[in-house]
Amino acid sequence: MSKDQKEKNGLPTYITEGADGSYTVDLVRGLEIAGTKVTKLKLREPSLEDQLASQQAGGSADTEIALIANLAEISPTDLHSAKMRDYARLQKALDFFYG
């Protein structure tokens, strides 16, 4: 990623931090959720309880999918239709929560 793709706070330009600690991610391809095309997903800041609950989902990929879906308040099934570029953006946002 080039330097001009990052904002002053170190986030890529496609991730915006909210005052509440959430991250809004601009999606490249978008998702179809309940018949509506979504081009942005807001991930609320996770709690330890979120992390523990997602670990009950199974393997590491399932854990990550469960956590991202929970933070975005969508079902994991909705997230399964994400294109890889969009999923990579969501993973990047999740990484920023961990510092």
Side-chain angles (χ1 to χ4, degrees), residues 7-18:
E7 296 176 354
K8 291 179 186 176
N9 60 2
L11 293 173
T13 56
Y14 58 83
I15 299 175
T16 306
E17 185 173 9

Side-chain angles (χ1 to χ4, degrees), residues 4-97:
D4 62 331
Q5 290 178 309
K6 292 189 176 187
E7 296 176 354
K8 291 179 186 176
N9 60 2
L11 293 173
T13 56
Y14 58 83
I15 299 175
T16 306
E17 185 173 9
D20 60 355
S22 65
Y23 290 125
T24 299
V25 181
D26 294 329
L27 304 175
V28 177
R29 306 286 283 167
L31 290 171
E32 193 80 23
I33 300 175
T36 303
K37 177 95 176 209
V38 175
T39 59
K40 293 179 185 261
L41 275 182
K42 180 179 178 179
L43 304 179
R44 65 176 172 74
E45 187 171 8
S47 66
L48 178 57
E49 184 176 357
D50 293 317
Q51 180 70 31
L52 295 172
S54 69
Q55 289 177 350
Q56 293 178 1
S60 63
D62 289 332
T63 298
E64 183 178 78
I65 291 166
L67 182 56
I68 291 172
N70 185 35
L71 299 179
E73 299 179 352
I74 63 173
S75 78
T77 304
D78 289 331
L79 195 53
H80 287 175
S81 67
K83 301 300 181 197
M84 285 309 298
R85 285 187 287 177
D86 286 336
Y87 189 70
R89 286 182 172 205
L90 294 167
Q91 286 177 308
K92 187 71 165 177
L94 188 59
D95 287 345
F96 279 104
F97 284 125

